[in-house]
Amino acid sequence: MTKPAPGTGSASNKAAAALSIEDRIGLYRTMTLIREFEEQVQRSYLEGLVHGTTHLCNGQEAVCAGVAKALREDDYVSYTYRGHGQCLARGMDLEAAFAELFGRETGVCGGIGGSMHLTDIDLGLIGAFGIVGAGLPVAVGAGLSAQLAGRRQVSVCFFGDGAVNIGAFHEAMNMAQVWKLPVIFVCENNLYGEFSHILHTTPYEDLVIRASGYSMQSELVDGNDVLAVYDAAAPAVARARDGQGPTFIECKTYRHRGHSRTDPAKYRDSAEVEAWLKRDPISLYRADLRAAGLMSDVGAEDMAAEARSLVKAAADRAAAAPWPSQTQDFMATMFVQ
């Protein structure tokens, strides 16, 4: 059985120590909003509103929230089909996100992308990819464009543990390091590539080892500790922005639900699941804030209730939006400048 990553505290976090009280509470708000959004997505799917598959990130909220906090508005982000969290952490409109999942014309991609392809160029969300690892070379290309233009932008690529075994991963890592590109590789290691445990496909669980093969700066962090994630991401982003090259960050985390849709995840050991559920990133961070005197249990519950109300209202509005026109020229719409 795979055990959870040790440690839950954030006392040693240097970058996180500089966060304001507002910023720290804001991280909790972001994580709570993502959780409530995903819960509503599941309910909407069961109600028949989501046409297609869904891949929920319940349990992995600390990774996207912590990394997003370290970025500028003009930075680039690529992510996987389990990317709702990244989108919301970057500020994607709730109603537009739901409308995309529901296939409505008010969606961020006009209702033709769906759950696996939420994108918003205005937010730097340059691509959600249904093919494992497909975002890696795109992130490198974005980093190269930023470097050549001298814009001091950073390109962040989120991917799962399964992606480290494909050729695009190694090509992307090698090219980014050789050219010292401003790319941050964020591996969300939730221990399962679809239905296969990591040790069935990879000879070790600590994927940070891969970075040494490219002489790349790397960090292994507790992906269920949002401040630890931010503490790793903030200096990595600063180094990249200053022309010091890429960083590989491995975040040990765990998805609470199955791989997709109605997957019951019976391939996972019950004791393993129970152990990880006790380390829910939202519960852990809530305890941190409570211990620091920054949030009460009542305040946390009120914030969750507010998030739940916001996502429910956004989902209801999205469900009432019109379908895309059958005569619309989608290709022309996509390439309008």
Side-chain angles (χ1 to χ4, degrees), residues 88-225:
L88 296 186
R90 288 289 280 175
M92 180 174 283
D93 180 77
L94 290 172
E95 183 179 344
F98 276 120
E100 188 60 37
L101 268 64
F102 298 167
R104 307 308 172 99
E105 70 174 10
T106 55
V108 289
C109 300
I112 61 174
S115 172
M116 297 175 69
H117 300 289
L118 290 176
T119 57
D120 190 333
I121 300 301
D122 291 338
L123 296 175
L125 296 166
I126 61 175
F129 297 86
I131 298 175
V132 173
L136 287 154
V138 174
V140 169
L144 177 59
S145 73
Q147 182 190 72
L148 292 175
R151 294 190 298 262
R152 289 177 55 80
Q153 291 165 294
V154 169
S155 175
V156 178
C157 182
F158 291 88
F159 53 95
D161 46 282
V164 305
N165 292 324
I166 68 171
F169 167 80
H170 298 280
E171 293 169 350
M173 291 277 286
N174 188 68
M175 185 175 292
Q177 179 67 346
V178 169
W179 289 347
K180 299 300 179 186
L181 299 179
V183 181
I184 311 299
F185 297 96
V186 181
C187 178
E188 297 179 280
N189 185 356
N190 62 23
L191 305 179
Y192 288 86
E194 196 164 340
F195 314 123
S196 301
H197 189 275
I198 188 172
L199 291 181
H200 294 163
T201 60
T202 310
Y204 40 75
E205 292 187 28
D206 292 340
L207 301 177
V208 70
I209 295 171
R210 294 289 173 93
S212 62
Y214 301 98
S215 298
M216 186 181 294
Q217 179 84 23
S218 63
E219 297 286 343
L220 173 62
V221 301
D222 179 356
N224 282 18
D225 181 343

